[in-house]
Amino acid sequence: TLLALRREVARYARLATSLRAVVGRLDQARGAALPPHCRNLTARLAQRTASLHADIHFLADHARMLNDEVGAQVGEQANRHLFTLSVLTALLLPPSLVTGFFGMNTKNLPLAESEFGTMFALAVAAGAALCVYLLMRRNRMLGGGGA
């Protein structure tokens, strides 16, 4: 996974920093204590260690950027899901209110004795959801929308 890769790159970065410090000290001390053929060797080793250190830090930065990008994509997907859930909640809340009202067990409920009372309650619930949908679309809350 990306997290395991970042951990491993961080571990290598610590090792490369230590190696660069040791080789740098050896390279600085090369004038007095080392024979001439070792001086060139320590200079090349210091150069290669510095290059390795830079490459590992580049990989660490790249892994960090990838992690940020993946996090942004996951956040964007979560936002889309939350938006869908919010729209569904807004659309289903008015019909729930209507069906709750008509489902009460009280006396003198409107249309309780009517032959078409259930159909009327269903039409009011659907009309309430449609009104909310149209209002949300008009206010550009759904992605499409008129003016």
Side-chain angles (χ1 to χ4, degrees), residues 101-104 106-114 116-118 120-121:
F101 176 75
F102 281 104
M104 293 188 300
T106 59
K107 284 188 172 188
N108 299 326
L109 194 62
L111 305 170
E113 301 299 323
S114 172
F116 298 105
T118 302
F120 181 75

Side-chain angles (χ1 to χ4, degrees), residues 21-70:
V22 169
V23 171
R25 277 185 260 146
L26 181 65
D27 189 39
Q28 288 174 354
R30 68 182 171 172
L34 295 176
H37 68 279
C38 290
R39 291 179 196 155
N40 293 334
L41 183 65
T42 57
R44 286 197 325 255
L45 184 61
Q47 185 180 21
R48 287 184 182 183
T49 305
S51 175
L52 175 68
H53 186 261
D55 288 347
I56 288 175
H57 277 283
F58 172 77
L59 286 175
D61 289 341
H62 194 64
R64 190 176 307 112
M65 287 187 331
L66 282 174
N67 192 30
D68 291 345
E69 186 176 329
V70 167

Side-chain angles (χ1 to χ4, degrees), residues 67-83:
N67 192 30
D68 291 345
E69 186 176 329
V70 167
Q73 287 177 354
V74 167
E76 186 178 317
Q77 186 178 19
N79 284 340
R80 280 195 307 268
H81 290 305
L82 284 173
F83 176 76

